[in-house]
Amino acid sequence: MPGIIGPSEYSEEPTRHPSLKVNAKEPFNAEPPRSALVSSYVTPVDLFYKRNHGPIPIVHDLQSYSVAVTGLIDNPRKLFMKDIRSLPKYNVTATLQCAGNRRTAMSKVRTVRGVGWDVSAIGNAVWAGAKLADVLELFGIAKLTSSTSLGGKHVEFVSVDRCKEENGGPYKASIPLSQATNPEADVLLAYEMNGETLNRDHGFPLRVVVPGVIGARSVKWLDSINVIAEECQGFFMQKDYKMFPPSVNWDNIDWSSRRPQMDFPVQSAICSLEDVQMVKPGKVNIKGYAVSGGGRGIERVDISLDGGINWTEASRTQTPGKHYISEHESSDKWAWVLFEATVDVSQTTEVIAKAVDSAANVQPENVESVWNLRGVLNTSWHRVLLRLGHSNL
């Protein structure tokens, strides 16, 4: 398309932060050290996980770049960046999480397919741009609309990039029109991240941000927006990112039997300690993140040192120095909380963290109960082992 191309090879990839753990080089998929996630409430852009399915698109003329808005609407046309920037600008603090976050722990139970993510395929950022509801209103689609007069019920986002799963075609995904036209859903066409212009890895010049939903629906490098009658039929909606029970394998899988995953479940992870950490006897500080999809707040985070028999509640914060209340108007409803607790350790100990969200959803105890062949949505209790010895904290 004019102004931007999706290359077919990897010769012009952007520079990345040297501390990132590279899980796949081509396409580039990487996550930061887990300790970086609890260093600040807002994740620095360079340390935000990178999830890609092909070479990073290249913008060569921003003035000619446009997004086609088409489909079951009365007046399809192109929008240029100046059109999008002329709309009211909103800042939305939202956590994005890859559905495969914590996949490595699931693969230890039974082999799964997918990028081997640890606990850091997640990040929290301040996204800025136009609300999709305002954009669609330019095309005669009123706020809080669930169907257009021509029968459109879903909004499909198509990327510029090329990925092998689409046989060299673009990445694509969709959300219901009712969500796209709801201003309270805060779906953005974002052009800034943490107060700066998006960089190439994160979707420059324009991306979708769908808060509270798995990252796979927040399409980067936007090429077109299509109002369609049925949900997107692309690979990543129909043949991936679905939740199957442990009994399903690659021989008996029926992709059509499950809906595409949207909201992510309640999740938490300890980030101040590695899976096995040497510590000295005495007080040990436990820090991590907790988050839930769909705009649900975190009601509490519990820490156990005895296998889940007894629990201690951790403190929860968002903005430093500001008291966090789950789902209060002063809190960021789409964002994670950072938790902290201090425990006394006198022997080799397994530390467990579990979160409870505002709808009383609780993380499942065991990985085995949520195991699935694609290794998605591992939200089981997070566990680290503390061994007594020379501390490497």
Side-chain angles (χ1 to χ4, degrees), residues 101-143:
N101 192 30
R102 298 183 59 200
R103 180 179 280 128
T104 51
M106 192 173 279
S107 67
K108 291 175 183 176
V109 172
R110 229 190 313 164
T111 303
V112 297
R113 292 184 188 175
V115 176
W117 298 110
D118 187 40
V119 303
S120 303
I122 187 171
N124 191 50
V126 181
W127 309 95
K131 284 196 178 183
L132 181 58
D134 289 342
V135 172
L136 294 175
E137 205 165 39
L138 297 175
F139 294 82
I141 303 175
K143 302 279 199 318

Side-chain angles (χ1 to χ4, degrees), residues 140-152:
I141 303 175
K143 302 279 199 318
L144 303 176
T145 295
S146 58
S147 179
T148 67
S149 59
L150 297 177

Side-chain angles (χ1 to χ4, degrees), residues 24-341:
K25 191 173 181 181
E26 294 181 356
F28 189 80
N29 291 284
E31 61 187 307
R34 62 174 68 176
S35 59
L37 295 183
V38 289
S39 297
S40 60
Y41 172 57
V42 174
T43 309
V45 173
D46 286 349
L47 296 176
F48 207 97
Y49 76 99
K50 321 295 184 204
R51 178 69 175 113
N52 299 299
H53 294 275
I56 306 301
I58 301 167
V59 176
H60 54 80
D61 182 8
L62 189 57
Q63 297 301 314
S64 62
Y65 167 77
S66 64
V67 175
V69 183
T70 65
L72 300 173
I73 55 177
D74 292 321
N75 56 341
R77 62 185 174 92
K78 292 180 179 180
L79 290 179
F80 292 85
M81 285 302 297
K82 62 180 176 61
D83 302 317
I84 294 165
R85 286 181 175 275
S86 70
L87 294 169
K89 178 183 177 182
Y90 291 89
N91 289 291
V92 175
T93 303
T95 298
L96 290 189
Q97 177 179 211
C98 178
N101 192 30
R102 298 183 59 200
R103 180 179 280 128
T104 51
M106 192 173 279
S107 67
K108 291 175 183 176
V109 172
R110 229 190 313 164
T111 303
V112 297
R113 292 184 188 175
V115 176
W117 298 110
D118 187 40
V119 303
S120 303
I122 187 171
N124 191 50
V126 181
W127 309 95
K131 284 196 178 183
L132 181 58
D134 289 342
V135 172
L136 294 175
E137 205 165 39
L138 297 175
F139 294 82
I141 303 175
K143 302 279 199 318
L144 303 176
T145 295
S146 58
S147 179
T148 67
S149 59
L150 297 177
K153 294 183 179 179
H154 297 263
V155 179
E156 179 184 61
F157 311 114
V158 182
S159 178
V160 174
D161 71 343
R162 301 179 181 186
C163 42
K164 67 175 191 283
E165 294 90 347
E166 294 285 3
N167 298 314
Y171 188 98
K172 59 184 75 170
S174 67
I175 61 173
L177 182 65
S178 57
Q179 182 179 11
T181 59
N182 181 0
E184 297 300 312
D186 289 329
V187 181
L188 293 183
L189 298 191
Y191 44 79
E192 290 181 5
M193 180 181 182
N194 294 351
E196 301 176 354
T197 300
L198 284 174
N199 70 17
R200 286 179 59 205
D201 264 325
H202 293 294
F204 177 74
L206 194 67
R207 69 169 297 162
V208 182
V209 174
V210 187
V213 168
I214 63 169
R217 314 308 174 208
S218 290
V219 175
K220 297 183 283 188
W221 313 293
L222 195 58
D223 174 82
S224 62
I225 298 171
N226 306 316
V227 179
I228 54 180
E230 305 292 337
E231 66 191 16
C232 169
Q233 294 301 300
F235 178 90
F236 297 99
M237 288 287 288
Q238 301 304 326
K239 295 285 183 75
D240 204 353
Y241 298 123
K242 294 184 176 184
M243 175 61 92
F244 286 92
S247 58
V248 171
N249 58 47
W250 292 106
D251 295 323
N252 64 17
I253 190 168
D254 176 6
W255 288 103
S256 65
S257 68
R258 294 293 189 276
R259 60 179 288 275
Q261 186 66 37
M262 300 303 280
D263 288 7
F264 52 80
V266 62
Q267 172 76 287
S268 73
I270 297 166
C271 296
S272 57
L273 303 166
E274 297 301 317
D275 286 343
V276 179
Q277 183 90 43
M278 300 298 290
V279 298
K280 294 178 180 178
K283 296 189 181 300
V284 176
N285 201 226
I286 311 293
K287 294 182 180 180
Y289 63 76
V291 67
S292 192
R296 294 177 291 275
I298 296 298
E299 199 60 37
R300 70 176 198 269
V301 178
D302 299 325
I303 304 295
S304 178
L305 304 182
D306 57 9
I309 298 171
N310 296 288
W311 298 90
T312 299
E313 186 173 357
S315 64
R316 296 157 295 139
T317 59
Q318 285 188 332
T319 306
K322 185 176 173 184
H323 183 58
Y324 171 79
I325 304 174
S326 174
E327 297 199 11
H328 190 269
E329 61 182 15
S330 65
S331 300
D332 295 325
K333 74 176 188 175
W334 306 114
W336 66 15
V337 301
L338 299 182
F339 68 81
E340 184 171 0

